[in-house]
Amino acid sequence: MDEDGRPGTNLSVGVYDDRTAHDLVYTQESPPPPHTPSILGHSLPHSRPSTPSPTPSSSWSDQRHTMPPPEPRQMPFDAESTEEIAGPSCFTNSHHFTIGTLNTNLTTNVPNFRTLFEHLNPYITHAAAHNSDERCDAPSCDPRTRVGVRMEIMEWMRLGTADPLPTKLMWLSGPAGSGKTAIALSVADLCHSEKLLAASFFFSSCSVTASRRSKRGFIATLAYHIAEHGTLWQFRTQLLLALERHPDIFRKNLKEQAECLLLGPLRISCRERDRSGWPKVIIVDGLDEVEAEQYHDPKRKEGLRAHENDQLEILNVLFSLSQCSIFPFRIFVSSRPESGIAGFFTTSARARTTELFLDSKYNPDADIRRFLEEKFNKIRQEAGITSLSWPGEATLGRLVDMSSGQFIVPDTIVRWVERGIPQQQLDDVLQLELRGDEAENPFATLDKLFRLILERSPNPSRDPHLVVKWIRCIEGSHNDTSVAPPAKFWKLLLEDIEGEVIFRMKPLASLISIPPPDTSAPITIYHKSLIDFLSTKARCKDLYVDEMSHDSFIASRIVRILKNKASANVLSLPIAADPLEFLRIFQDLKMVRHSTWTPGASICEHLLQFLASLNNDSKDDLALCDAAWWTGLYLTHTGSHAEGFEINQFDECANLLGSMYCRIHKAMECDSNPYPSAHDTLLQVPRSRCHAACIRWREGILAKAKELKWCVHEMEQVKLDSLHNMTVREVNQKFRRMRPGSFCAVCQPSEGRT
């Protein structure tokens, strides 16, 4: 009721026992009742906030923003716990009374508002949290190791620094394999137990979750983690209001997202006087593993974005947040000292950042020895080794020297020793000796260890680099997807004989995880440094596979699938692999359909790039493909060996066929070299310079398309040797479908489904 005695219009009522009427309403200046439900996935506090909500601003200064209060009935409510009543008051002119038990059974027209979780869930990278299920096996520090650096980090997080201008940003860096992520995880666990952790985000370029490799879900994830804290209930309220007002915020840049989802809600939250229960720190790990978001617009004039662009965008946002007076959290960032990141911290943010570098200052050798002692003690117990002195002080000392302060080395050694008879496995490692020309290489020991393990793989004599090609193919031959391709896809693509992948890669178990064949789990490469090793000729030497050989290998595997019609290994084996899933992933290979655009290029020019990398054997194999079968599969979305097999998700099916029609002619160099025979001489057209594969695919595509009543007469008029004068786009313009009800000067109108 109003002060002048007029009936009140809004009153939030629940079920209260022995409370005064004053308890029925509260404002933002006081905390909510203890029974108020959380809005993380459900509802808001019982009454509408009395303080106007802020309008997000592009300014990063500590300003106060106001906006009109929300319109009536526009606040989210939990229908199970609160009701909104409008109408005459039941307590006119009443005072000095109490309410015992008040039961209500009211029906209102409150709309069904979306919860905070429903707003954010599509944009949250759940796997990036320090305690996510994906990171359940992530290594952390042994309690006895890295004590010095962890204590220094925790002291900064709890107390800050004694500098006149205390820093709110810390950067931990160090060489690859020096244990930065393990330290970050251990610190995050400790902060979480002490209720200091506001949010965390662990990037990973090897993650099966694509958004852990990009900036896409970064701000939304931090905002949701912060909103999970019970002491930040006002932040939750304001965050939900911001999402209601700006549903398109996730299409903005990171700076705009941070203003709307972090700083805007915090301007109201920071008015609270008691912040004793607030968390204090945000942890961001693996910034160097962020990969650039590409915007697939062929009309863009500028070049492709580099990974460094997105890394610096994240850094600029984090630095701006740390310099904003209303932002209450310290920010901890760990990464390798890549040139762009190091340049940022040594220039723009140098005076306002606390830097830690994992060098000899923190005595890593002592920590590595303690790590090895703990692990070998466990190995002795599990293997039944009775000698308590094994492996001996001298051996431990040598392993510490081999590690060169890089925790990835002892971690890899332990994995290797655990995979066989421990004494024999350890003897293999101890045979490694540095040659004089490798003394300057800081990764020399690690490189020798990688080589030792890789050379144990039983490569065939015909291709001694086969497993290296497999690893590089698995790591980088596929376009980004929300879920990494499962291991069974790579088995079907790479194997010549069933079981070959497991047989040849089993000795690499300390570097690569191969899941059981009956699961949909992906192949996991434990350390990114293995890819760095294989991609650097100076490091892997005779194991190096150049780009031309790598592309030729992938192209040959693609042709193998086309040649076999995918029937023997895929469509006839629904238990071993889902045909739809296999073909969807197969089409998404970079050399079939590349996801990035060259400025000024059309979509058709990014299809079927494998044709440019074919060797002579693969070219001849293309002449044995059933082109008509593939044409029918793509044009009708049905496989002849799998009745009712739908692949409706496939895009650009016609463009794939049109591109094959044009590109195969150019790839076979049909305009410069005569091919009198090839495999199938029956396909050789007299006096034609076209390869048999070119003839097979062009005739197969036209015959099947014509059978399906496609409008192909324009392509029939193109002479066999005239395609070199046409572009892929021109071919696809001619190779168009006759739509139902349309009319062509040559074809009759189509009726029904074509």
Side-chain angles (χ1 to χ4, degrees), residues 728-747:
V728 178
R729 177 178 295 182
E730 290 172 338
V731 170
N732 277 289
Q733 288 174 345
K734 292 180 178 294
F735 189 75
R736 66 183 185 273
R737 185 174 181 176
M738 189 68 172
R739 301 290 181 185
S742 62
F743 181 83
C744 175
V746 177
C747 302

Side-chain angles (χ1 to χ4, degrees), residues 293-300 304 479 593-597:
E293 288 280 305
Q294 302 298 345
Y295 307 101
H296 304 177
D297 182 0
K299 297 180 181 180
R300 286 171 62 96
L304 299 176
N479 292 315
R593 183 181 63 83
H594 207 291
S595 65
T596 57
W597 305 110

Side-chain angles (χ1 to χ4, degrees), residues 365-403:
D365 288 353
D367 288 336
I368 289 174
R369 174 177 284 273
R370 284 189 283 269
F371 170 82
L372 290 171
E373 289 173 346
E374 181 71 22
K375 293 297 183 180
F376 278 116
N377 180 53
K378 181 179 178 181
I379 291 172
R380 282 198 304 269
Q381 295 175 3
E382 294 179 349
I385 299 174
T386 58
S387 174
L388 298 179
S389 62
W390 183 83
E393 288 297 317
T395 299
L396 284 176
R398 183 174 175 192
L399 295 179
V400 171
D401 290 339
M402 291 172 62
S403 299

Side-chain angles (χ1 to χ4, degrees), residues 675-692:
Y675 293 92
S677 59
H679 276 295
D680 193 345
T681 56
L682 295 178
L683 293 179
Q684 186 67 34
V685 177
R687 294 178 301 279
S688 171
R689 291 181 175 271
C690 286
H691 189 280

Side-chain angles (χ1 to χ4, degrees), residues 144-160:
R144 300 183 303 161
T145 65
R146 297 299 201 184
V147 175
V149 65
R150 286 190 288 135
M151 287 182 60
E152 189 170 345
I153 295 170
M154 290 304 302
E155 182 179 1
W156 174 81
M157 290 179 174
R158 294 187 185 109
L159 305 175

Side-chain angles (χ1 to χ4, degrees), residues 565-567 571 626-634 638-641 704:
K565 296 195 304 188
S567 57
L571 297 182
D626 190 341
W629 185 90
W630 281 99
T631 301
L633 176 68
Y634 277 98
T638 304
S640 59
H641 293 275
K704 189 65 176 181

Side-chain angles (χ1 to χ4, degrees), residues 290-358:
V290 173
E291 298 176 358
E293 288 280 305
Q294 302 298 345
Y295 307 101
H296 304 177
D297 182 0
K299 297 180 181 180
R300 286 171 62 96
K301 301 298 182 181
E302 62 270 26
L304 299 176
R305 287 176 62 86
H307 299 332
E308 183 179 299
N309 298 137
D310 283 11
Q311 294 166 9
L312 291 179
E313 183 182 3
I314 293 173
L315 276 178
N316 276 294
V317 168
L318 292 177
F319 181 71
S320 297
L321 288 172
S322 71
Q323 300 308 299
C324 185
S325 61
I326 66 166
F327 193 74
F329 311 114
R330 297 186 178 94
I331 301 173
F332 172 85
V333 178
S334 63
S335 74
R336 290 191 297 180
E338 304 290 355
S339 58
I341 298 174
F344 177 86
F345 281 112
T346 56
T347 55
S348 304
R350 183 179 184 86
R352 307 303 299 272
T353 302
T354 298
E355 296 184 20
L356 299 180
F357 189 83
L358 294 176

